């Protein structure tokens, strides 16, 4: 065991504070990572404040981890000391079920989250708001040299969370894709959808970020607070990806889809939502969800982002600013992802 510095929430809704945690000794197939940067995801806030239900405390959040390998176990074959690597939302799975065999580890019933979970050793997992992490090599991905580590860190959640549904639902040339919300997830969705060749529309509450959206690759930008938006875009979109964590009026958004179109949710509101089923039945439309992506797809996403020079738009902060950053995320006052400089932990 090794003692390392970290920032943790000691209890639900309590401010995060500097502390120390124990990391396990490097085992045969483990990789020890010197964390350089860790992104702040809205889901960190949901979990640290028990917005999604009962959680494990003390909690060290963080599942957007970028760093450098500093030690490997004797059985490790995929990575070497000095390589640039990342860790996303999971650090283990059963590895035997149909989902695991299909590269869909995120849907394994035995998936172990990077934090706020219990590992196979019976100990709680702690996330990336720390100086080091030990992870099995099968749940580590390589960050290509073309991606700076700070802007790559958010791709380990925001990137794969949006890349996966865009790929699955066929975003590409000739397809009209809309992204609901231009935040941490939404801005990466716009970049990726544009790089895939789709015609991209941003649907945001206001036009406040319109200039940003167009610079990021959107072709169109509409305010959902304006009823004319829903009249003008009715029946015109092939795919809508919702990145917001607020409940939507699904009937209104489903009306924007063409026959057979899909609305895919990656944002997860804390509140239940209502769904008028006739908005699905009329037009043979699809309402779906998507959860991050498997390890192989996460590597594919990183390679794609490196090829297209896609990184997150970030605001780099010191660890002492985490609590302020949480409040600013809730106030939508970040463009577009806070990233913690782990050297300040």
């Amino acid at each position: 065991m090794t003692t390392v510095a970290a920032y943790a929430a000691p209890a639900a809704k309590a401010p995060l504070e500097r502390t120390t945690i124990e990391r396990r000794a490097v085992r045969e197939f483990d990789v020890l990572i010197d964390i350089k940067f860790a992104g702040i995801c809205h889901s960190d806030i949901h979990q640290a404040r028990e917005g999604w239900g009962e959680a494990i405390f003390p909690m060290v959040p963080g599942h957007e981890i970028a760093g450098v390998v500093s030690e490997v176990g004797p059985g490790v074959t995929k990575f070497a000391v000095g390589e640039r690597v990342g860790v996303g939302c999971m650090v283990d799975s059963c590895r035997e079920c149909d989902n695991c065999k299909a590269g869909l580890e995120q849907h394994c019933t035995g998936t172990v989250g990077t934090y706020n979970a219990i590992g196979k050793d019976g100990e709680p997992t702690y996330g990336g708001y720390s100086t080091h992490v030990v992870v099995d090599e099968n749940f580590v991905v390589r960050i290509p040299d073309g991606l700076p580590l700070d802007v790559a860190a958010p791709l380990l959640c925001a990137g794969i969370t949006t890349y996966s549904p865009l790929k699955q639902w066929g975003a590409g040339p000739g397809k009209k894709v809309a992204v609901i919300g231009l935040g941490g997830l939404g801005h990466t969705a716009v970049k990726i959808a544009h790089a895939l060749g789709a015609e991209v529309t941003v649907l945001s509450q206001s036009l406040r970020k319109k200039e940003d959206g167009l610079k990021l690759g959107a072709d169109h930008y509409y305010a959902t607070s304006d009823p004319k938006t829903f009249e003008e875009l009715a029946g015109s979109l092939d795919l809508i990806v919702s990145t917001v964590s607020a409940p939507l009026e699904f009937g209104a958004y489903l009306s924007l889809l063409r026959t057979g179109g899909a609305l895919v949710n990656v944002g997860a509101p804390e509140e239940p939502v209502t769904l008028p089923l006739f908005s699905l039945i009329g037009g043979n439309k699809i309402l779906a969800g998507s959860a991050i992506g498997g390890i192989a797809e996460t590597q594919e996403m990183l390679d794609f982002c490196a090829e297209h020079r896609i990184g997150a738009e970030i605001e780099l902060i010191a660890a002492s600013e985490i609590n302020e950053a949480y409040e600013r995320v809730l106030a939508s006052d970040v463009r577009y992802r806070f990233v913690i400089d782990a050297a300040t932990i």
Side-chain angles (χ1 to χ4, degrees), residues 303-343:
D303 294 341
F304 176 88
C305 287
E307 178 185 352
H308 293 274
R309 299 183 179 181
I310 295 172
E313 302 295 316
I314 68 167
E315 182 175 333
L316 192 64
I317 63 168
S320 60
E321 300 174 88
I322 291 173
N323 292 304
E324 178 188 350
Y326 273 25
E327 296 305 321
R328 287 181 58 192
V329 169
L330 294 173
S332 298
D333 180 27
V334 54
R335 296 192 178 182
Y336 282 88
R337 201 63 147 187
F338 286 117
V339 171
I340 303 163
D341 181 350

Side-chain angles (χ1 to χ4, degrees), residues 85-109:
V85 294
V87 178
C89 300
M90 53 188 168
V91 292
D92 211 343
S93 69
C94 83
R95 314 189 196 194
E96 298 176 351
C97 69
D98 290 343
N99 282 327
C100 286
K101 291 177 180 177
L104 299 171
E105 299 93 342
Q106 75 274 28
H107 297 306
C108 170
T109 56

Side-chain angles (χ1 to χ4, degrees), residues 91-290:
V91 292
D92 211 343
S93 69
C94 83
R95 314 189 196 194
E96 298 176 351
C97 69
D98 290 343
N99 282 327
C100 286
K101 291 177 180 177
L104 299 171
E105 299 93 342
Q106 75 274 28
H107 297 306
C108 170
T109 56
T111 293
V112 178
T114 304
Y115 69 92
N116 191 29
I118 299 297
K120 291 179 180 177
D121 58 4
E123 297 297 321
T125 57
Y126 297 120
Y129 297 9
S130 59
T131 58
H132 297 80
V133 65
V134 179
V135 183
D136 184 287
E137 67 172 337
N138 290 297
F139 289 83
V140 178
V141 289
R142 184 172 287 100
I143 296 177
D145 290 338
L147 278 174
L149 291 179
D150 54 355
V151 300
L155 300 179
L156 276 302
C157 175
I160 185 59
T161 295
T162 53
Y163 178 85
S164 185
L166 287 168
K167 287 285 287 187
Q168 180 179 349
W169 297 99
K175 293 295 183 72
K176 294 186 176 181
V177 175
V179 177
I180 303 176
L182 193 69
L185 290 174
H187 91 282
T188 59
V190 169
K191 287 189 173 189
I192 292 170
H194 174 74
L196 287 168
E199 181 179 333
V200 185
T201 296
V202 173
L203 299 172
S204 185
Q205 286 185 317
S206 72
L207 298 178
R208 182 168 57 96
K209 299 178 183 178
K210 181 177 180 179
E211 184 177 348
D212 281 2
L214 298 178
K215 287 181 180 178
L216 291 168
D219 299 286
H220 316 285
Y221 200 108
Y222 289 87
T224 56
S225 57
D226 184 351
K228 292 181 180 178
T229 291
F230 293 90
E231 297 174 11
E232 186 173 341
L233 296 180
S236 66
L237 301 171
D238 298 291
L239 172 65
I240 302 173
V241 177
S242 173
T243 69
V244 298
S245 57
L248 298 176
E249 294 183 15
F250 279 109
Y253 287 93
L254 287 164
S255 73
L256 304 182
L257 292 172
R258 292 174 172 170
T259 299
L263 193 168
V264 184
N265 289 271
V266 296
E270 296 179 3
E271 310 92 333
V273 299
T274 58
L275 172 65
L277 285 174
F278 278 108
S279 62
L280 279 179
I281 294 169
N284 196 33
K285 295 168 184 176
I286 300 164
L287 178 63
S290 181

Side-chain angles (χ1 to χ4, degrees), residues 32-117:
L32 173 62
I33 301 168
D34 181 358
I35 298 174
K36 300 300 184 183
F37 302 99
I40 293 179
C41 178
H42 200 153
S43 62
D44 296 344
I45 303 173
H46 284 299
Q47 296 187 78
R49 301 188 176 188
E50 285 194 320
W52 289 341
E54 189 175 349
I56 302 168
F57 295 94
M59 179 191 298
V60 177
H63 56 211
E64 298 181 338
I65 302 169
V68 176
V69 176
S70 56
E71 184 181 346
V72 297
V76 170
T77 60
K78 298 180 179 180
F79 301 98
V81 171
E83 286 196 271
R84 307 162 78 251
V85 294
V87 178
C89 300
M90 53 188 168
V91 292
D92 211 343
S93 69
C94 83
R95 314 189 196 194
E96 298 176 351
C97 69
D98 290 343
N99 282 327
C100 286
K101 291 177 180 177
L104 299 171
E105 299 93 342
Q106 75 274 28
H107 297 306
C108 170
T109 56
T111 293
V112 178
T114 304
Y115 69 92
N116 191 29

